[in-house]
Amino acid sequence: MKDFPYTESKDTRSGFGAGLHELGKTNPNVVALCADLTGSLKMDAFKKDFPERFFQVGIAEANMMGVAAGMTIGGKIPFTGTFANFSTGRVYDQIRQSIAYSDKNVKICASHAGLTLGEDGATHQILEDLGMMKMLPGMTVINPCDYNQTKAATIAIAEHHGPVYLRFGRPVVPNFTPADQNFVIGEAVMLNEGTDVSIFATGHLVWKAVLAGKLLAEKGINAEIINIHTIKPLDAQAILASARKTRCVVTAEEHQMNGGLGDSIAQLLAREEPLPLEMVAVNDSFGESATPDQLMEKYKLNEAAIVAAVEAVMKRRK
Amino acid sequence: MPQTAEIATADLKEIAAQVRRDIVRMVHAVNSGHPGGSLGCTDLLVALYFKVMKHNPEQFSMDGVGEDLFFLSNGHISATLYSVLARSGYFPVSELATFRKLNSRLQGHPTTHEGLPGIRVASGSLGQGLSVACGAAQAKKLNGDDRRVFVLMGDGELEEGQNWEAIMYAAHHKIDNLIGVIDHNGQQIDGSTAEIGGLGDLRSKFEAFGWHVLQADGNDYATLLPALEAAQAATGQGKPVMFIMDTRMGFGVDFMMEGHKWHGVAPNDAQLATALEQLTVGTVADY
């Protein structure tokens, strides 16, 4: 098992804020819109240095999506910022008609996704957003794993024409991917080559998969760990190549089983290479109030859950 | 037909009659669509596309830099927009025959998806057009583009809450290159707007939200054209402009002008014949 040294832990939302600020300097067409959560989204630096390109929309997310769609007409590249819940479910029809169906170049940037939002509870902990967004034709869906990757993804999506959903979160997590990484939309990242099982993880679960890999190595299990930062378009080639090698698959995500990464990979395997698969995800449940770590343990989204899923799936391997 | 600020009112009326013929023929051909609101808004769209707006039908560009832009929020009156776009040169008039048919660019509600020139955003699910128009108007300001953005909404559509988010936003951000138009016909699918939604005193509401408000008859060029002049003159003064346009649903076809019945019903063969008898033009140029 490879080692992944890191010197600091940071929140992924700060990676977004840093990437957005960088874009402010390099791309004059980038504009930012926020629905009264500038501090939470780490958009303050952009707001301070590029005030003429920052638009405070207030607590009016539906309007924000429409205004963003309109700003693309004239060549602007709007980045909208609010919590993941208010970036998706609250405004699904606005995204569907004014952005996705209209092929508008809007970047929907969503923080505080999943259980790790913590104490605010289930009203704010969306676990369905990846599913809603990936169902929209033409929508690109990205869930990076740490600060560096979120910053790189934020910069990369400005160069991609078309609607993008970029999902990140609130908690401080190990910042272990390279600062100078070349983020390629739709290209899976091999973290550890292995032979016994393929672990496909996204977002905060990527680091949990790394921790699980170490525990598995101690048990003599050689896990292949791949970071699927882009849920749509899915890197089918990388996923199938790994699955054909290891013959069993575990998926891991901070999302419902229905509609998430595991769902996408299950569809792919069923069509191309039916193999045993276990999903580490929330099983048809809302979240609740507690600390992020408590919730990740209770809802079985941690390294122990991944190890258990690996052991279960390896028993099913033929 | 000429597209010039100097176009005679008689010519606008002639175009409007031809557009109304297109509308009733289009909805009759597929036995579906929304003739009532389409007929009521015909005079406005003809005025905008043939007299008021600076635009470039021959070379449609999505960004529309240097052009006036029009957004249709009440997308169900698509037949009017399609006819006016075709007759002002965005695409062949013959394409109107494909309205609502398989593989057509003229979908039931307008969309950019099939690449129809003249359409810049999809609409149909109500309440979204004003927000989009606000964004487009702000993009114009960022680009140093001094042209204007027009957006048409239904009056019943104002029951959608997103509109009120946008109404507050436009005034707060001083989007004064934006002209909203309300198709104030007092009707919606289930009955009158007074009965269904209780719109109340729209003028006072918009004024309280910080808009410059005008109101005039939208089915009479003698009042409509001066109102559009006044609306444009009111731009650039720190406030968005709202034109409450009093119209009659079904205007131009007598039996379609009563109540809300013709919101979403197509005429049968005999009704079409009657309608076309009433919509006379000097030289019929049906598609």
Side-chain angles (χ1 to χ4, degrees):
Chain A
M1 177 69 193
K2 264 174 67 179
D3 199 27
F4 294 93
Y6 62 93
T7 55
E8 59 180 349
S9 291
K10 284 176 150 179
D11 46 355
T12 50
R13 58 181 168 154
S14 286
F16 163 69
L20 184 66
H21 188 246
E22 186 70 25
L23 285 171
K25 289 185 272 189
T26 58
N27 190 333
N29 282 324
V30 168
V31 297
L33 297 85
C34 187
D36 196 32
L37 287 168
T38 311
S40 294
L41 269 287
K42 304 295 180 187
M43 296 167 91
D44 315 76
F46 185 96
K47 179 186 175 185
K48 177 172 168 284
D49 288 345
F50 313 102
E52 73 290 351
R53 286 190 275 148
F54 177 81
F55 296 88
Q56 174 59 264
V57 184
I59 312 166
E61 295 83 5
N63 185 48
M64 179 167 72
M65 293 304 165
V67 169
M71 283 181 174
T72 67
I73 300 164
K76 301 302 153 198
I77 307 173
F79 282 63
T80 68
T82 182
F83 288 176
N85 189 22
F86 315 134
S87 294
T88 57
R90 188 175 181 91
V91 291
Y92 198 66
D93 190 45
Q94 285 76 18
I95 294 174
R96 181 176 181 274
Q97 175 172 286
S98 292
I99 296 175
Y101 187 41
S102 296
D103 189 30
K104 293 304 179 213
N105 194 23
V106 175
K107 316 304 173 187
I108 302 162
C109 301
S111 186
H112 293 54
L115 294 175
T116 50
L117 171 141
E119 292 83 349
D120 278 350
T123 54
H124 289 52
Q125 291 162 341
I126 197 158
L127 295 163
E128 304 84 35
D129 54 326
L130 295 178
M132 282 189 281
M133 290 297 108
K134 82 177 188 184
M135 279 198 293
L136 290 171
M139 181 68 73
T140 294
V141 180
I142 299 173
N143 188 18
C145 69
D146 69 0
Y147 173 95
N148 283 341
Q149 190 159 75
T150 308
K151 181 179 177 185
T154 303
I155 292 167
I157 62 176
E159 297 297 321
H160 167 87
H161 182 90
V164 174
Y165 179 63
L166 180 67
R167 180 203 216 223
F168 41 90
R170 178 179 184 233
V172 168
V173 294
N175 185 25
F176 68 99
T177 67
D180 61 349
Q181 65 191 279
N182 177 30
F183 187 92
V184 182
I185 295 169
E187 196 172 295
V189 179
M190 175 68 76
L191 291 176
N192 189 65
E193 293 193 28
T195 51
D196 296 331
V197 61
S198 298
I199 303 175
F200 300 114
T202 193
H204 291 142
L205 268 291
V206 174
W207 180 250
K208 305 287 187 194
V210 169
L211 296 178
K214 288 178 184 165
L215 296 172
L216 290 165
E218 289 166 14
K219 294 169 184 267
I221 296 170
N222 184 10
E224 181 144 297
I225 303 171
I226 298 182
N227 173 6
I228 310 289
H229 54 60
T230 306
I231 284 89
K232 183 183 176 186
L234 196 63
D235 190 344
Q237 203 177 354
I239 291 165
L240 287 171
S242 176
R244 281 174 175 142
K245 179 172 66 173
T246 64
R247 311 304 297 169
C248 63
V249 169
V250 167
T251 62
E253 63 199 301
E254 190 180 351
H255 191 270
Q256 301 286 354
M257 282 185 193
N258 280 329
L261 172 66
D263 166 296
S264 289
I265 291 178
Q267 286 189 44
L268 174 68
L269 294 179
R271 282 197 309 270
E272 302 285 341
E273 192 74 56
L275 287 169
L277 174 144
E278 294 285 337
M279 296 183 193
V280 174
V282 174
N283 186 9
D284 201 27
S285 162
F286 291 104
E288 63 183 287
S289 292
T291 68
D293 285 345
Q294 287 171 329
L295 292 169
M296 296 299 261
E297 185 179 349
K298 174 167 176 177
Y299 289 86
K300 297 188 165 53
L301 300 183
N302 58 8
E303 57 271 30
I306 295 172
V307 169
V310 166
E311 289 173 336
V313 84
M314 285 181 69
K315 283 184 191 148
R316 296 168 56 202
R317 184 166 65 160
K318 295 196 178 93
Chain B
M1 282 293 177
Q3 185 207 321
T4 160
E6 303 305 318
I7 189 169
T9 300
D11 289 334
L12 288 177
K13 286 181 177 171
E14 187 80 355
I15 299 167
Q18 182 61 59
V19 167
R20 287 188 163 97
R21 293 180 66 88
D22 291 343
I23 292 165
V24 292
R25 293 182 70 239
M26 287 163 75
V27 299
H28 168 265
V30 289
N31 193 30
S32 71
H34 299 80
S38 298
L39 292 167
C41 292
T42 296
D43 302 304
L44 171 75
L45 266 69
V46 168
L48 289 177
Y49 278 87
F50 287 88
K51 182 178 177 69
V52 174
M53 295 202 306
K54 181 188 175 193
H55 62 123
N56 190 353
E58 285 74 31
Q59 282 190 307
F60 172 68
S61 88
M62 179 57 75
D63 286 343
V65 174
E67 297 182 52
D68 292 317
L69 306 183
F70 173 77
F71 292 98
L72 180 68
S73 191
N74 48 330
H76 54 274
I77 69 157
S78 55
T80 318
L81 181 57
Y82 294 149
S83 170
V84 168
L85 287 175
R87 291 190 180 278
S88 62
Y90 281 88
F91 55 85
V93 169
S94 59
E95 200 169 341
L96 296 176
T98 70
F99 177 61
R100 285 181 168 243
K101 291 178 180 168
L102 188 64
N103 299 321
S104 173
R105 299 195 294 180
L106 278 59
Q107 291 289 297
H109 293 79
T111 172
T112 60
H113 201 254
E114 278 73 29
L116 186 68
I119 308 293
R120 292 191 169 89
V121 75
S123 61
S125 177
L126 295 173
Q128 301 187 28
L130 183 57
S131 298
V132 174
C134 284
Q138 288 186 296
K140 283 205 177 295
K141 284 178 177 276
L142 286 167
N143 288 335
D145 177 349
D146 64 1
R147 300 313 304 180
R148 302 182 183 95
V149 175
F150 294 85
V151 55
L152 175 62
M153 293 154 277
D155 50 1
E157 187 179 4
L158 291 173
E159 290 156 16
E160 292 281 8
Q162 183 182 347
N163 279 316
W164 298 95
E165 296 181 2
I167 289 163
M168 203 182 311
Y169 179 85
H172 180 61
H173 287 266
K174 300 183 169 56
I175 307 178
D176 61 2
N177 54 345
L178 172 68
I179 299 174
V181 183
I182 303 293
D183 176 22
H184 194 232
N185 62 21
Q187 305 295 331
Q188 57 190 107
I189 296 178
D190 274 1
S192 73
T193 54
E195 179 192 346
I196 305 297
L199 291 182
D201 183 351
L202 280 183
R203 173 184 276 273
S204 296
K205 284 178 181 170
F206 282 111
E207 283 173 350
F209 274 83
W211 287 59
H212 181 90
V213 185
L214 308 92
Q215 187 159 7
D217 187 331
N219 291 131
D220 180 354
Y221 281 124
T223 53
L224 176 59
L225 295 176
L228 290 172
E229 283 296 315
Q232 293 177 91
T235 59
Q237 294 175 33
K239 286 183 172 188
V241 178
M242 188 60 77
F243 169 31
I244 301 171
M245 182 179 73
D246 299 320
T247 62
R248 292 285 298 277
M249 187 178 266
F251 191 86
V253 178
D254 58 8
F255 62 88
M256 290 188 177
M257 290 169 67
E258 297 309 319
H260 60 274
K261 181 183 164 202
W262 288 90
H263 170 88
V265 181
N268 62 26
D269 293 351
Q271 288 163 333
L272 174 66
T274 306
L276 291 175
E277 278 171 24
Q278 295 177 18
L279 298 168
T280 54
V281 288
T283 309
V284 172
D286 292 342
Y287 64 84

Coordinates of all heavy atoms in Angstrom, one line a residue, chain B residues 122-152:
Chain B
A122 N -34.6 28.3 -22.9 CA -35.9 27.6 -22.9 C -36.9 28.2 -21.9 O -36.5 28.8 -20.9 CB -35.6 26.1 -22.5
S123 N -38.1 28.2 -22.2 CA -39.2 28.7 -21.3 C -40.4 27.8 -21.5 O -40.6 27.2 -22.5 CB -39.5 30.1 -21.5 OG -40.0 30.4 -22.8
G124 N -41.2 27.9 -20.5 CA -42.4 27.0 -20.5 C -42.8 26.7 -19.1 O -44.0 27.0 -18.7
S125 N -41.9 26.2 -18.3 CA -42.1 26.1 -16.9 C -42.0 27.6 -16.4 O -41.0 28.3 -16.6 CB -41.0 25.3 -16.2 OG -41.1 25.3 -14.8
L126 N -43.1 28.1 -15.8 CA -43.3 29.5 -15.6 C -42.4 30.1 -14.5 O -41.9 29.4 -13.6 CB -44.7 29.8 -15.4 CG -45.7 29.4 -16.6 CD1 -47.1 29.6 -16.2 CD2 -45.3 30.3 -17.8
G127 N -42.2 31.4 -14.6 CA -41.6 32.2 -13.5 C -40.1 32.3 -13.7 O -39.5 32.9 -12.7
Q128 N -39.5 31.9 -14.7 CA -38.1 31.9 -14.8 C -37.5 33.0 -15.7 O -36.3 33.3 -15.6 CB -37.5 30.5 -15.3 CG -38.0 29.4 -14.4 CD -37.4 28.0 -14.7 OE1 -36.3 27.9 -15.3 NE2 -38.1 27.0 -14.3
G129 N -38.3 33.5 -16.6 CA -37.8 34.4 -17.6 C -37.2 35.7 -17.1 O -36.3 36.3 -17.6
L130 N -37.9 36.3 -16.0 CA -37.4 37.6 -15.5 C -36.0 37.4 -14.9 O -35.2 38.3 -15.1 CB -38.4 38.1 -14.5 CG -38.1 39.5 -13.9 CD1 -38.0 40.5 -15.0 CD2 -39.2 39.9 -12.9
S131 N -35.8 36.3 -14.2 CA -34.4 36.1 -13.6 C -33.4 36.1 -14.8 O -32.3 36.7 -14.7 CB -34.4 34.8 -12.8 OG -35.3 34.8 -11.8
V132 N -33.7 35.3 -15.8 CA -32.8 35.2 -16.9 C -32.5 36.6 -17.6 O -31.4 36.9 -17.9 CB -33.3 34.2 -18.0 CG1 -32.4 34.2 -19.2 CG2 -33.4 32.8 -17.3
A133 N -33.6 37.3 -17.7 CA -33.5 38.7 -18.3 C -32.6 39.6 -17.4 O -31.8 40.4 -17.9 CB -34.8 39.3 -18.5
C134 N -32.8 39.5 -16.1 CA -31.9 40.2 -15.2 C -30.4 39.9 -15.4 O -29.6 40.8 -15.5 CB -32.3 39.9 -13.7 SG -33.8 40.6 -13.1
G135 N -30.1 38.6 -15.5 CA -28.8 38.2 -15.8 C -28.2 38.7 -17.1 O -27.1 39.2 -17.2
A136 N -29.0 38.6 -18.1 CA -28.6 39.1 -19.5 C -28.4 40.6 -19.4 O -27.4 41.1 -20.1 CB -29.6 38.7 -20.5
A137 N -29.2 41.3 -18.7 CA -29.1 42.8 -18.6 C -27.8 43.1 -17.9 O -27.1 44.1 -18.2 CB -30.3 43.4 -18.0
Q138 N -27.5 42.4 -16.8 CA -26.3 42.6 -16.1 C -25.0 42.3 -16.9 O -24.0 43.0 -16.8 CB -26.3 41.9 -14.7 CG -27.3 42.4 -13.8 CD -27.2 41.8 -12.4 OE1 -27.5 40.6 -12.3 NE2 -26.9 42.5 -11.4
A139 N -25.1 41.2 -17.7 CA -24.0 40.9 -18.6 C -23.8 42.0 -19.6 O -22.6 42.4 -19.9 CB -24.3 39.6 -19.3
K140 N -24.9 42.7 -20.0 CA -24.7 43.8 -21.0 C -24.0 45.0 -20.2 O -23.1 45.6 -20.8 CB -26.1 44.3 -21.5 CG -26.7 43.4 -22.6 CD -27.6 44.2 -23.4 CE -28.2 43.3 -24.6 NZ -27.1 42.9 -25.5
K141 N -24.3 45.2 -19.0 CA -23.6 46.3 -18.3 C -22.2 45.9 -18.1 O -21.3 46.8 -18.3 CB -24.3 46.5 -16.9 CG -25.6 47.2 -17.0 CD -26.2 47.3 -15.6 CE -27.5 48.1 -15.6 NZ -27.3 49.6 -15.5
L142 N -21.9 44.7 -17.8 CA -20.5 44.3 -17.6 C -19.7 44.4 -18.9 O -18.5 44.7 -18.9 CB -20.4 42.8 -17.1 CG -20.7 42.5 -15.7 CD1 -20.9 41.0 -15.5 CD2 -19.7 43.1 -14.7
N143 N -20.4 44.2 -20.0 CA -19.7 44.3 -21.3 C -19.7 45.7 -21.9 O -19.2 45.9 -23.0 CB -20.5 43.4 -22.3 CG -20.2 41.9 -22.1 OD1 -19.2 41.6 -21.5 ND2 -21.1 41.0 -22.5
G144 N -20.3 46.7 -21.2 CA -20.3 48.0 -21.7 C -21.2 48.1 -22.9 O -21.1 49.0 -23.8
D145 N -22.2 47.3 -23.0 CA -23.2 47.2 -24.1 C -24.4 48.0 -23.7 O -25.1 47.7 -22.7 CB -23.5 45.7 -24.3 CG -24.5 45.5 -25.4 OD1 -25.2 46.4 -25.9 OD2 -24.7 44.3 -25.8
D146 N -24.7 49.0 -24.4 CA -25.8 49.9 -24.0 C -27.2 49.6 -24.5 O -28.1 50.3 -24.4 CB -25.5 51.4 -24.3 CG -25.4 51.6 -25.8 OD1 -25.6 50.6 -26.6 OD2 -25.1 52.8 -26.3
R147 N -27.3 48.4 -25.2 CA -28.6 48.0 -25.6 C -29.5 47.5 -24.5 O -29.0 47.3 -23.4 CB -28.5 46.9 -26.7 CG -27.8 47.4 -28.0 CD -28.2 48.7 -28.5 NE -29.6 48.9 -28.8 CZ -30.1 50.0 -29.3 NH1 -29.4 51.1 -29.5 NH2 -31.4 50.0 -29.5
R148 N -30.8 47.2 -24.7 CA -31.7 46.9 -23.7 C -32.2 45.4 -23.7 O -32.0 44.7 -24.8 CB -32.9 47.8 -23.8 CG -32.6 49.2 -23.7 CD -33.9 50.1 -23.8 NE -33.6 51.5 -23.7 CZ -33.5 52.2 -24.9 NH1 -33.6 51.7 -26.0 NH2 -33.2 53.5 -24.8
V149 N -32.8 45.0 -22.6 CA -33.3 43.6 -22.5 C -34.8 43.7 -22.2 O -35.2 44.4 -21.3 CB -32.6 42.8 -21.4 CG1 -33.3 41.5 -21.3 CG2 -31.1 42.6 -21.8
F150 N -35.6 43.1 -23.1 CA -37.1 43.0 -22.9 C -37.4 41.6 -22.5 O -36.8 40.6 -22.9 CB -37.8 43.3 -24.2 CG -37.6 44.7 -24.7 CD1 -36.5 45.1 -25.5 CD2 -38.6 45.7 -24.5 CE1 -36.3 46.4 -26.0 CE2 -38.4 47.0 -25.0 CZ -37.3 47.3 -25.7
V151 N -38.4 41.5 -21.6 CA -38.9 40.2 -21.2 C -40.4 40.3 -21.0 O -41.0 41.2 -20.4 CB -38.2 39.7 -19.9 CG1 -38.4 40.7 -18.7 CG2 -38.8 38.3 -19.5
L152 N -41.1 39.3 -21.6 CA -42.6 39.3 -21.5 C -43.0 38.2 -20.6 O -42.5 37.0 -20.6 CB -43.2 39.0 -22.9 CG -44.7 38.8 -22.9 CD1 -45.5 40.1 -22.5 CD2 -45.2 38.4 -24.3

